[in-house]
């Protein structure tokens, strides 16, 4: 252990049947009950206390030192520790060297503080240990999941009450499914799109059964593609690989100067694919909140093209989907209601614990394209949710989300969204008011990119020839890499870094700093401190 707290247990621990069986049986004595409650207290308050006191992001210990402490690959033969000790170890020795994602200074990624009640809800799902792969191991929980799927489907698609009355508990149809994460949600959406495009026809039993080679032969083509923004999440490339489409056939379309899918480039690409011939389009993906920039593709225009050309339209709202919960900002996602499928992550802006993804389908029968049955579970016509899902066994995440929605109300979630967008707007203004910074993508949602760009360099740029400019750009990228790295290593705050591909307005690739604002405790003062620290890092580096 890190602190070497090897206080030996009073008597050596042995694995015997009696102690083992006791861990499976609810404790009967008052004393044992109290002990168990005390352990939960330690988890709830010990960790909470730690997260409050520990304002930095992580302890100084280097990855190398940590790796050395964790390099013994032997399994314990006999019991080493009792529960109390293990919990203490986790709270005292592991947590400080993990990342304090709950810190309001941790603004680099889509992982942050969660409401305290999520820990209770997560504990309940663990205690119940339902398996929603089938009704026989979940019963009412599967039924509740269908209800919640209908509620979120309604948030996205706004169909009639009659539609939801028909489908909410319909064992034949499915409005969506829960997945482990957004990656699997995106894969599921494209899996459905692929199977529907290459469905059975005379002499061909469908791509799911016969595979890609037979499908291309049956449909007389050589290639199929998915069209995505160059800012699309890399899970879509994984989908291309897994689905046999080939990830080089997940074709990146340029973005315009506002980092939205360039519709002209999309139309030109569709045109040239058509004239090439022998190619089918599996789907066009629109971003409802890009991972790197938070920008939103022109969803309505993409929907029009997809409708016109009969192409599957997938909207990736893994991050941005919950914006629909804000009356003030839901208009930003206008057009999402026309998408054939929509991905939304629970562990992002629904503030759920890791990990929860979801995918919704406009058509209640879309998921039939990936249905699987088995002899011992998931028999045709049952409510078994595992029939139409990539995963097998999985936890009852719907219990957590449904309860969270009851506790927060859509208004509560709406407030969180609105607050973070407001803070992002103030932060964008602050960046623009500082002469040594530059905002590199427009503020749309609550994700921003910007970079350190000293005023003196901005002026010098005007005088440089092409070669000089190139050198200056490279230097600028190095500066931003150094700032981000040094700030991360100092451990007081964290922003992330990415590279934005050149656009028409700015042809060079730019290394930029990236901030994701989702922690309600992150305010403009904290963000100013973060910018100050970045300025200081630059000055220190310059002096070297
Ligand atoms: C986060 C994200 C994903 C992937 O989600 P995971 O839950 O990390 O697998 C996909 N698309 C977008 C736009 C995302 O922001």
């Amino acid at each position: 252990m890190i602190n070497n707290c090897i206080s030996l247990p009073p008597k050596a621990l042995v694995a015997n049947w009696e102690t083992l069986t006791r861990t499976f049986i609810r404790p009967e004595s008052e004393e044992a009950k109290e002990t168990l409650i005390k352990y939960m207290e330690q988890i709830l308050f010990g960790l909470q206390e730690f997260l409050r006191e520990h304002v930095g992001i992580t302890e100084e210990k280097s990855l190398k030192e940590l790796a050395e402490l964790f390099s013994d690959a032997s399994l314990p033969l006999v019991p080493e520790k009792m529960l109390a000790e293990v919990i203490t170890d986790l709270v005292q020795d592991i947590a400080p060297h993990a990342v304090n994602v709950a810190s309001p200074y941790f603004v680099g990624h889509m992982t942050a503080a969660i409401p305290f009640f999520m820990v209770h809800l997560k504990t309940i799902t663990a205690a119940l240990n339902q398996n929603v792969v089938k009704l026989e191991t979940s019963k009412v929980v599967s039924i509740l999941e269908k209800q919640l799927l209908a509620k979120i489907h309604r948030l996205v698609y706004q169909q009639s009450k009659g539609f939801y009355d028909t489908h909410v508990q319909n064992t034949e149809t499915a409005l969506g499914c829960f997945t482990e994460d957004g990656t699997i949600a995106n894969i599921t959406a494209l899996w459905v799109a692929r199977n529907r495009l290459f469905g059975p026809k005379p002499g061909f039993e469908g791509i799911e059964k016969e595979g890609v080679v037979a499908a291309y032969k049956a449909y007389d083509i050589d290639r199929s593609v998915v069209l995505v923004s160059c800012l699309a999440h890399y899970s879509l490339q994984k989908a291309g690989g897994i689905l046999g489409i080939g990830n080089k056939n997940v074709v990146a379309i340029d973005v315009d100067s506002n980092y939205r899918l360039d519709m002209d480039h999309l139309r030109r690409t569709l045109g040239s694919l058509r004239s090439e011939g022998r190619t089918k389009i599996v789907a066009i993906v629109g971003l409802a909140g890009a991972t790197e920039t938070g920008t939103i593709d022109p969803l309505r225009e993409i929907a029009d093209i997809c409708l016109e050309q009969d192409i599957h339209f997938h909207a990736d709202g893994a991050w941005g989907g919950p914006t629909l919960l804000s009356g003030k900002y839901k208009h930003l996602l206008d057009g999402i209601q026309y998408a054939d499928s929509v991905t939304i992550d629970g562990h992002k802006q629904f503030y759920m614990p890791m990990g929860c993804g979801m995918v919704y389908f406009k058509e209640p029968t879309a998921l039939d394209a990936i249905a699987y049955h088995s002899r011992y579970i998931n028999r045709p016509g049952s409510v078994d949710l595992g029939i139409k899902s990539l995963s097998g066994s999985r936890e009852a995440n719907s219990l957590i989300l449904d309860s969270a929605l009851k506790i927060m109300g859509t208004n509560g979630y709406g407030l969180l969204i609105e607050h973070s967008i407001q803070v992002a707007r103030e932060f964008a203004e602050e960046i623009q008011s500082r002469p040594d910074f530059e905002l590199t993508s427009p503020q749309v949602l609550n994700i921003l990119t910007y970079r350190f760009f000293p005023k003196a360099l901005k002026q010098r740029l005007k005088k440089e020839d092409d070669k000089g400019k190139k050198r200056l750009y490279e230097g600028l990228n190095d500066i931003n890499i150094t700032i981000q790295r040094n700030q991360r290593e100092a451990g007081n705050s964290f922003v992330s870094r990415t590279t934005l591909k050149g656009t028409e307005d700015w042809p060079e690739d730019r290394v930029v700093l990236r901030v994701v604002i989702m922690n309600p405790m992150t305010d403009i003062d904290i963000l100013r401190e973060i910018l100050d620290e970045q300025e200081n890092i630059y000055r220190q580096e310059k002096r070297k």
Side-chain angles (χ1 to χ4, degrees):
M1 265 351 287
I2 293 160
N3 286 345
N4 271 333
C5 57
I6 33 171
S7 52
L8 276 177
K11 55 176 193 268
L13 296 170
V14 285
N16 65 31
W17 192 248
E18 195 210 324
T19 38
L20 263 181
T21 47
R22 261 196 281 141
T23 66
F24 280 84
I25 299 166
R26 193 160 47 92
E28 296 299 337
S29 77
E30 282 310 311
E31 198 192 348
K33 279 187 202 163
E34 265 170 43
T35 317
L36 281 189
I37 291 169
K38 220 170 69 206
Y39 296 160
M40 281 313 282
E41 261 181 32
Q42 212 179 341
I43 295 169
L44 278 170
F45 297 103
L47 271 181
Q48 219 82 330
E49 196 68 14
F50 153 74
L51 292 174
R52 205 175 56 231
E53 283 170 14
H54 190 81
V55 287
I57 300 301
T58 186
E59 291 287 317
E60 262 168 66
K61 206 164 267 229
S62 73
L63 289 179
K64 193 161 168 280
E65 285 172 272
L66 289 171
E68 274 161 21
L69 287 164
F70 291 85
S71 36
D72 178 3
S74 52
L75 283 168
L77 197 60
V78 293
E80 279 175 2
K81 297 182 182 216
M82 310 229 277
L83 176 62
E85 249 185 299
V86 169
I87 293 175
T88 305
D89 285 352
L90 290 173
V91 172
Q92 292 181 1
D93 297 338
I94 298 293
H97 300 280
V99 175
N100 184 1
V101 297
S103 161
Y105 289 82
F106 185 85
V107 289
H109 286 305
M110 296 171 157
T111 305
I114 51 174
F116 70 85
F117 61 75
M118 291 293 184
V119 180
H120 295 82
L121 297 176
K122 188 86 181 177
T123 309
I124 292 173
T125 58
L128 279 174
N129 198 31
Q130 302 295 291
N131 183 352
V132 260
V133 70
K134 54 187 180 286
L135 203 65
E136 289 168 0
T137 48
S138 59
K139 204 173 173 183
V140 73
V141 181
S142 284
I143 292 171
L144 179 142
E145 183 163 314
K146 274 186 86 74
Q147 181 193 24
L148 178 62
L149 287 166
K151 291 180 189 174
I152 308 281
H153 188 281
R154 192 171 199 169
L155 176 73
V156 176
Y157 290 108
Q158 300 287 336
Q159 302 285 321
S160 67
K161 183 176 176 296
F163 174 92
Y164 293 104
D165 287 346
T166 304
H167 294 291
V168 60
Q169 294 301 342
N170 191 328
T171 57
E172 300 296 324
T173 59
L175 299 176
C177 67
F178 275 75
T179 59
E180 281 66 24
D181 59 13
T183 296
I184 297 179
N186 278 342
I187 291 172
T188 305
L190 294 188
W191 186 21
V192 166
R194 187 199 73 164
N195 286 7
R196 278 157 64 100
L197 186 63
F198 297 104
K201 61 181 196 174
F204 175 66
E205 293 191 80
I207 192 169
E208 187 69 19
K209 201 156 194 176
E210 298 209 22
V212 177
V213 175
Y216 288 5
K217 209 183 264 170
Y219 281 83
D220 199 25
I221 58 158
D222 300 324
R223 178 190 180 209
S224 63
V225 299
V226 177
L227 304 181
V228 303
S229 149
C230 60
L231 285 175
H233 191 266
Y234 68 109
S235 53
L236 294 160
Q237 284 174 304
K238 289 185 189 173
I242 288 177
L243 296 172
I245 294 166
N247 65 24
K248 76 166 193 195
N249 294 317
V250 178
V251 177
I253 305 294
D254 292 342
V255 288
D256 63 19
S257 52
N258 284 319
Y259 291 90
R260 289 155 59 89
L261 190 81
D262 180 340
M263 293 306 291
D264 282 338
H265 190 208
L266 177 65
R267 285 194 194 91
R268 282 200 310 277
T269 308
L270 285 167
S272 64
L273 287 169
R274 209 177 304 120
S275 56
E276 263 171 47
R278 304 193 60 80
T279 303
K280 266 184 169 296
I281 296 153
V282 175
I284 301 178
V285 180
L287 287 171
T291 314
E292 287 165 285
T293 56
T295 46
I296 299 168
D297 288 336
L299 302 175
R300 196 176 263 267
E301 289 175 58
I302 300 174
D304 286 343
I305 289 188
C306 286
L307 193 66
E308 193 187 291
Q309 308 197 13
D310 196 20
I311 297 170
H312 184 106
F313 171 26
H314 175 61
D316 187 354
W319 174 259
T323 310
L324 292 168
L325 295 163
S326 154
K328 200 166 162 190
Y329 293 114
K330 66 176 181 208
H331 69 275
L332 294 172
L333 298 193
D334 179 51
I336 200 170
Q337 67 274 30
Y338 303 118
D340 295 293
S341 51
V342 175
T343 287
I344 301 177
D345 261 346
H347 57 238
K348 290 179 179 170
Q349 296 204 84
F350 275 114
Y351 293 84
M352 286 170 67
M354 289 294 138
C356 173
M358 293 169 276
V359 59
Y360 292 89
F361 292 87
K362 188 167 189 188
E363 271 181 49
T365 53
L367 272 164
D368 290 354
I370 61 155
Y372 271 78
H373 300 287
S374 90
R375 278 186 304 279
Y376 73 106
I377 52 164
N378 295 348
R379 283 170 284 256
S382 74
V383 191
D384 294 352
L385 297 170
I387 295 174
K388 297 169 190 175
S389 117
L390 180 54
S391 344
S393 297
R394 62 186 172 80
E395 66 182 321
N397 262 328
S398 55
L399 277 186
I400 300 180
L401 182 53
D402 193 58
S403 308
L405 279 160
K406 283 176 182 149
I407 294 169
M408 306 270 286
T410 53
N411 284 351
Y413 273 115
L415 280 178
L416 285 175
I417 300 271
E418 283 159 22
H419 179 264
S420 63
I421 294 179
Q422 177 58 32
V423 173
R425 183 164 302 154
E426 290 168 28
F427 188 43
E429 283 163 13
E430 177 71 21
I431 290 164
Q432 283 169 313
S433 75
R434 293 197 184 204
D436 290 339
F437 284 92
E438 178 193 56
L439 194 66
T440 47
S441 58
Q443 175 270 323
V444 179
L445 295 175
N446 37 20
I447 301 173
L448 280 181
T449 72
Y450 66 100
R451 65 176 170 171
F452 193 76
F453 193 168
K455 197 171 148 209
L457 286 188
K458 283 180 190 156
Q459 277 156 356
R460 231 181 71 199
L461 187 67
K462 292 180 195 143
K463 296 183 208 129
E464 295 283 354
D465 59 6
D466 281 355
K467 231 170 119 190
K469 275 196 178 120
K470 196 161 179 285
R471 237 191 344 261
L472 196 141
Y473 291 146
E474 280 164 12
L476 207 50
N477 286 348
D478 291 341
I479 291 172
N480 282 280
I481 291 171
T482 306
I483 288 176
Q484 193 266 347
R485 189 190 301 138
N486 290 9
Q487 190 166 38
R488 183 190 64 205
E489 279 169 12
N492 301 315
S493 54
F494 175 75
V495 305
S496 59
R497 159 165 65 83
T498 187
T499 302
L500 292 180
K501 284 241 163 295
T503 64
E504 221 168 290
D505 286 11
W506 191 285
E508 308 291 325
D509 287 357
R510 290 183 285 183
V511 170
V512 298
L513 305 169
R514 169 174 168 267
V515 160
V516 180
I517 296 162
M518 66 182 297
N519 187 330
M521 300 302 146
T522 301
D523 60 17
I524 189 64
D525 293 330
I526 287 178
L527 295 167
R528 284 195 187 109
E529 278 178 51
I530 291 176
L531 292 181
D532 292 344
E533 193 185 8
Q534 290 169 347
E535 287 176 352
N536 286 334
I537 293 172
Y538 174 70
R539 275 188 220 108
Q540 277 165 15
E541 282 295 313
K542 230 177 126 191
R543 258 184 256 127
K544 276 186 189 166

